[in-house]
Amino acid sequence: MQINARAFDEIARTVFAPIYPIIARQIVAHTGMTRGVCLDAGCGSGYLGAALASITELHVTFFDESAEMLALAENTIKENGLRSRTGTLQGDIGSIALPAGSVDLVISRGSIFFWEDLPRALREVSRILAPGGRTWIGGGFGTARLKESIRDQMAARNKGSGAFGSKIRCNLGPQMRARFEEALEQAGIADYQIVQSDDIGLWIDIRKEGKENGP
Ligand SMILES: C[S@@+](CC[C@H](N)C(=O)[O-])C[C@H]1O[C@@H](n2cnc3c(N)ncnc32)[C@H](O)[C@@H]1O
């Protein structure tokens, strides 16, 4: 499903802006990954990948199916002075043009809910992960308080509609978790942890067997 890049970016750089540095810190705290190669899958305008690159030494590739989103990500890279440690790649999550075992950390926020063939996408993510590699794939808004504030701001923007709040509840709720678990099983991925809380959201942390702590 194509997302309107300009409309999404307007929300991401205003309403969502505070969440990205918090999620970047959560990724480092949970995975311990600060060096190596990172893929921001379904990066949109690239705010999460840029926040993570800014607090680590990771080399980040911004990956998205949308050329328009990648053009916005290029701006984000430039604005944050990250050109020497970043790249962009266009493609579908079901077929990533990267060699097997070439990525230490796959991050992805708010994109998995659009992936049509979830087992195929997760198999592909697992294929590109290096031994000891990790993922942080799912959705969240940093903290429960920020989530509520964003829900309220979105309702105000949408003339009082609770549709965005309903989407959050659905995307971060028990049925989505069950869907993730089913897809991981279908993909033949056994070594993973689902991280879920009111604050953190809902994330898949795949651990690729091999080295203990990544790069
Ligand atoms: C809601 S946006 C989230 C963007 C960004 N991760 C963020 O949190 O600000 C979802 C992004 O996933 C991308 N996307 C959706 N399905 C995809 C797929 N099958 N392969 C690659 N990218 C995809 C969309 O183009 C869009 O940029």
Side-chain angles (χ1 to χ4, degrees):
M1 187 190 121
Q2 285 288 324
I3 298 170
N4 182 319
R6 295 273 153 200
F8 177 78
D9 183 57
E10 197 274 318
I11 293 165
R13 79 181 128 78
T14 54
V15 182
F16 290 2
I19 73 173
Y20 299 107
I22 297 173
I23 297 173
R25 288 197 295 274
Q26 289 168 344
I27 293 171
V28 173
H30 279 265
T31 67
M33 291 277 189
T34 56
R35 283 179 294 133
V37 176
C38 170
L39 186 80
D40 183 353
C43 63
S45 347
Y47 300 125
L48 181 57
L52 185 61
S54 299
I55 58 164
T56 65
E57 294 169 29
L58 286 159
H59 182 288
V60 181
T61 298
F62 294 83
F63 176 78
D64 206 286
E65 66 180 6
S66 155
E68 227 183 326
M69 289 289 196
L70 287 176
L72 293 164
E74 288 277 5
N75 283 344
T76 305
I77 291 168
K78 207 156 86 187
E79 277 166 18
N80 286 276
L82 291 168
R83 196 169 290 292
S84 64
R85 264 195 306 124
T86 54
T88 57
L89 181 66
Q90 188 177 2
D92 184 273
I93 192 72
S95 172
I96 306 169
L98 288 174
S102 62
V103 176
D104 300 297
L105 174 65
V106 176
I107 63 168
S108 181
R109 180 200 164 274
S111 187
I112 188 169
F113 311 113
F114 298 93
W115 300 351
E116 274 164 28
D117 187 341
L118 206 42
R120 180 186 164 139
L122 292 170
R123 256 195 304 275
E124 186 62 351
V125 165
S126 178
R127 181 188 70 77
I128 63 164
L129 272 186
R134 300 279 288 269
T135 70
W136 195 254
I137 298 172
F141 294 88
T143 67
R145 185 175 283 205
L146 264 175
K147 182 175 62 181
E148 282 158 24
S149 158
I150 287 170
R151 180 200 59 201
D152 294 347
Q153 288 177 69
M154 293 303 289
R157 279 173 165 247
N158 299 328
K159 300 186 174 70
S161 158
F164 191 80
S166 303
K167 197 161 73 178
I168 294 178
R169 270 195 304 282
C170 165
N171 283 352
L172 306 183
Q175 283 179 352
M176 191 59 74
R177 180 185 179 131
R179 191 174 160 236
F180 287 0
E181 285 168 340
E182 193 186 335
L184 284 155
E185 192 182 338
Q186 284 171 14
I189 298 168
D191 198 359
Y192 70 87
Q193 197 191 342
I194 302 276
V195 182
Q196 185 178 28
S197 78
D198 199 24
D199 270 316
I200 212 157
L202 176 64
W203 303 91
I204 300 170
D205 176 5
I206 296 173
R207 290 140 191 249
K208 188 75 178 272
E209 67 180 20
K211 275 188 296 173
E212 272 300 295
N213 289 312

